[in-house]
Amino acid sequence: MDSDHDRSSAGGGKDAWPQALNRPSEARDTPGAIPADQAVTTPPTPSSPTPSSPTPSSPVPDPSVTGRGIAGLSTPYQVVAALALSLIGLLACTQVAMVFLHVAPSNTLTKEHGKTIDRWIYPEFEQNWKLFAPNPLQQNVAVHVRAEVVDADGRRTTRWMNLTHEDAEGIRGNLFPSHVDQNELRRGWDFYVNSHDSENRPNGLRGDLSERYVRRIAMLRLSERDYGGTIERIQLRSATSSIAPPPWSTEKISTRPAYRVLPWWTVTPDDLPEHAAEQRRDAVRAEANQ
């Protein structure tokens, strides 16, 4: 040991392996740059085992899920399945259309293809109900009134006045039409027709009430006009005309109006609007005094 130390000191204190320590990093990293007799071997340090991180794996498809439905069939079977589904859908649409036409009110299609519809429906798909009850209106009904006026020149009869036309004028182009214009006359006339027979005779206890209601409506409309005399009698009639078929239809329907003329009614004080207003005011006063 001392001899080695002396040799190193005698050499001016230089390191025993100047070539190995003073070489650049490139030379140190190159094998063979250090002589074999001067190479320093370092024992390998045991490295702690690192846990292996799990590598992401793509999901494995379930063989029981893939290949289901039409997509799992071969091309010929897919074509057959598509044709079968199309046929079932066509039959379902035809069935719905036939049932709709069977329960719908009489129209152009049912009149032209009624036998075909019946052959499809009866007897397996017979229906005992209707889509609309009652059937929607297919006619225009107008209520007219005229009056017998007595003035200084005698007695005269006015022309027919179309009350329904006046209501229609108040509805057309009006975003918020009045319920009076829409329903008062129409429901009043329906009330009268349903409570009277074809000979204008009451068919129940509501007949007299419906007659007085219609007379008051007529007098309310006539009071808005000045006929230059006193209205002693009034007469009402209805003009019913069928709605014309569309241009593409071959159906022939007469649109000539049919009239139902009521007898002349003598005007009573209860029919006058001002008399009815006075009665309401008197009733209010009587209740207030009690």
Side-chain angles (χ1 to χ4, degrees):
M1 257 178 101
D2 294 336
S3 60
D4 294 337
H5 177 71
D6 295 336
R7 284 195 302 267
S8 62
S9 299
K14 295 183 179 178
D15 200 334
W17 301 297
Q19 296 179 352
L21 297 178
N22 297 329
R23 285 176 176 269
S25 60
E26 291 83 357
R28 290 201 304 267
D29 294 339
T30 305
I34 302 175
D37 56 350
Q38 298 180 1
V40 179
T41 60
T42 58
T45 59
S47 60
S48 60
T50 57
S52 59
S53 59
T55 58
S57 59
S58 59
V60 179
D62 188 0
S64 61
V65 176
T66 58
R68 287 183 178 179
I70 299 179
L73 301 176
S74 60
T75 302
Y77 287 103
Q78 289 183 3
V79 174
V80 173
L83 291 176
L85 293 176
S86 300
L87 181 60
I88 294 173
L90 180 61
L91 290 176
C93 293
T94 304
Q95 171 69 13
V96 172
M98 288 296 183
V99 172
F100 174 80
L101 292 174
H102 177 69
V103 300
S106 179
N107 52 67
T108 304
L109 289 177
T110 56
K111 291 179 180 179
E112 185 175 355
H113 305 286
K115 293 182 179 180
T116 303
I117 297 172
D118 291 341
R119 284 196 298 266
W120 180 280
I121 294 296
Y122 294 107
E124 288 84 2
F125 308 112
E126 181 179 1
Q127 305 291 321
N128 59 356
W129 62 281
K130 291 296 182 183
L131 186 62
F132 299 105
N135 292 335
L137 292 177
Q138 298 182 2
Q139 295 175 328
N140 288 323
V141 180
V143 180
H144 304 165
V145 64
R146 64 178 179 177
E148 188 177 86
V149 181
V150 177
D151 54 12
D153 297 333
R155 193 179 294 269
R156 59 187 176 86
T157 302
T158 64
R159 61 177 181 83
W160 289 104
M161 183 175 64
N162 191 339
L163 302 180
T164 303
H165 177 73
E166 293 183 353
D167 288 347
E169 290 296 323
I171 295 173
R172 291 191 183 99
N174 191 346
L175 296 178
F176 304 99
S178 170
H179 283 282
V180 175
D181 294 338
Q182 296 180 79
N183 301 318
E184 182 184 54
L185 179 63
R186 178 179 61 84
R187 291 185 176 180
W189 185 255
D190 289 341
F191 183 27
Y192 178 87
V193 171
N194 294 329
S195 59
H196 288 73
D197 58 16
S198 58
E199 300 297 328
N200 298 317
R201 293 189 297 259
N203 54 16
L205 299 177
R206 296 164 62 87
D208 181 65
L209 177 62
S210 64
E211 180 179 329
R212 287 187 282 114
Y213 184 65
V214 171
R215 284 161 56 179
R216 288 184 179 181
I217 293 176
M219 286 303 302
L220 182 63
R221 304 292 182 88
L222 291 173
S223 63
E224 298 173 355
R225 290 165 172 78
D226 184 12
Y227 290 103
T230 303
I231 299 177
E232 288 194 351
R233 296 196 306 168
I234 60 173
Q235 187 180 31
L236 282 84
R237 73 176 184 182
S238 65
T240 304
S241 57
S242 300
I243 298 177
W248 48 265
S249 175
T250 59
E251 188 177 5
K252 303 297 182 182
I253 297 179
S254 176
T255 58
R256 186 175 181 179
Y259 295 98
R260 177 176 179 173
V261 182
L262 306 186
W264 283 95
W265 289 330
T266 301
V267 177
T268 64
D270 293 337
D271 300 331
L272 302 177
E274 57 271 16
H275 183 74
E278 290 177 0
Q279 284 184 334
R280 286 194 296 270
R281 287 194 295 268
D282 294 341
V284 171
R285 294 194 193 98
E287 292 180 358
N289 296 329
Q290 290 179 355

